Amino acid sequence: MTLLSSHLTSVEGFHTTFSSNITIHNPADIEGCSLHFLYRLPPRIFADPYELANYAAFYSFKSSGTTNLELPVTAVSAEGSAILLQVNLPDISTSGKASVMVDLPLHARYGALDQPAAIEVADPTCFWVCPRLYYHPMQSMPEMPLEFAASFNTSSSVFIMAGKDPSTSVAVMHVPVGHAADSPQVEAITSAVVVLGFLYLLYIAVQTAANISKRHQHVKVK
């Protein structure tokens, strides 16, 4: 039996890590199996594939949906995105009990005005893919995007779902958002800053031109 527990390392701001721990009570039960994590992320949360490339020593990954970090939430599909990990397992064959930690860095997009600040992030689905042997119970492949499902050979494999720790609470990330009621003040302050910046640059330009003119006059007098 294997048991999964997950949590966000930080619940405030735009950056966090979804940290998961899978406890393996009897490693012999999953000998020859591969470990996978399937994350379904809401539109306002995403994993940066370029950042995930730095985790190659721990897992390989596939992504589906929009992962462009530059896009605002209004330009992202309501379906969000999905990430599939295949974990590089350490040697646990001789252990009586083992655990594996998996960290997925996550980021939040800037939300639309007056959107709820709290974003619920679903726990990952953790499963094992094992050779089709008589001692493994038959379980169906978890629902996932077609491009993910195509990477598994269902004719020669079985899927074993990891249990979830019942004490794990729902992961919620709190992201700052703007409010429409503050727009007039923000626009006024922004306009004032732009005008002051322009006046400062104009002052610098005039001073520079005056200094250059003085130097030219000084050269002519000589």
Side-chain angles (χ1 to χ4, degrees):
M1 178 181 178
T2 57
L3 193 64
L4 172 70
S5 61
S6 302
H7 70 280
L8 295 175
T9 57
S10 174
V11 297
E12 302 284 346
F14 288 93
H15 310 282
T16 188
T17 298
F18 214 148
S19 185
S20 299
N21 181 74
I22 182 76
T23 302
I24 306 165
H25 294 281
N26 186 2
D29 290 343
I30 45 85
E31 185 176 355
C33 303
S34 57
L35 176 61
H36 303 262
F37 282 76
L38 175 63
Y39 299 81
R40 290 192 174 277
L41 304 176
R44 292 172 64 188
I45 303 294
F46 70 97
D48 183 355
Y50 296 102
E51 183 179 16
L52 295 187
N54 297 325
Y55 287 75
F58 305 100
Y59 50 70
S60 58
F61 73 94
K62 297 179 184 294
S63 60
S64 176
T66 304
T67 56
N68 187 334
L69 70 165
E70 301 294 340
L71 292 178
V73 68
T74 52
V76 179
S77 168
E79 296 179 357
S81 60
I83 300 290
L84 178 67
L85 306 183
Q86 179 170 341
V87 180
N88 299 329
L89 287 171
D91 184 9
I92 56 176
S93 58
T94 59
S95 305
K97 182 179 179 181
S99 63
V100 177
M101 291 290 297
V102 177
D103 289 337
L104 180 73
L106 296 176
H107 308 276
R109 300 182 188 279
Y110 293 108
L113 292 177
D114 294 323
Q115 275 193 319
I119 308 172
E120 185 173 318
V121 186
D123 285 341
T125 299
C126 178
F127 61 97
W128 301 85
V129 179
C130 304
R132 190 179 289 275
L133 301 175
Y134 68 92
Y135 56 83
H136 283 309
M138 297 293 291
Q139 294 185 9
S140 59
M141 180 173 61
E143 184 178 347
M144 64 181 69
L146 291 177
E147 58 265 40
F148 292 174
S151 61
F152 297 107
N153 187 343
T154 55
S155 63
S156 61
S157 303
V158 294
F159 298 84
I160 302 175
M161 308 300 294
K164 290 188 177 181
D165 187 340
S167 65
T168 300
S169 58
V170 176
V172 178
M173 191 172 177
H174 298 271
V175 179
V177 293
H179 299 285
D182 298 330
S183 294
Q185 291 177 317
V186 173
E187 290 175 0
I189 294 173
T190 302
S191 299
V193 171
V194 170
V195 170
L196 290 174
F198 171 76
L199 292 176
Y200 175 75
L201 292 175
L202 181 61
Y203 169 77
I204 295 298
V206 171
Q207 289 293 102
T208 302
N211 290 335
I212 293 174
S213 178
K214 287 180 181 179
R215 289 177 184 174
H216 286 174
Q217 291 176 359
H218 182 68
V219 170
K220 289 180 180 179
V221 170
K222 287 185 175 182

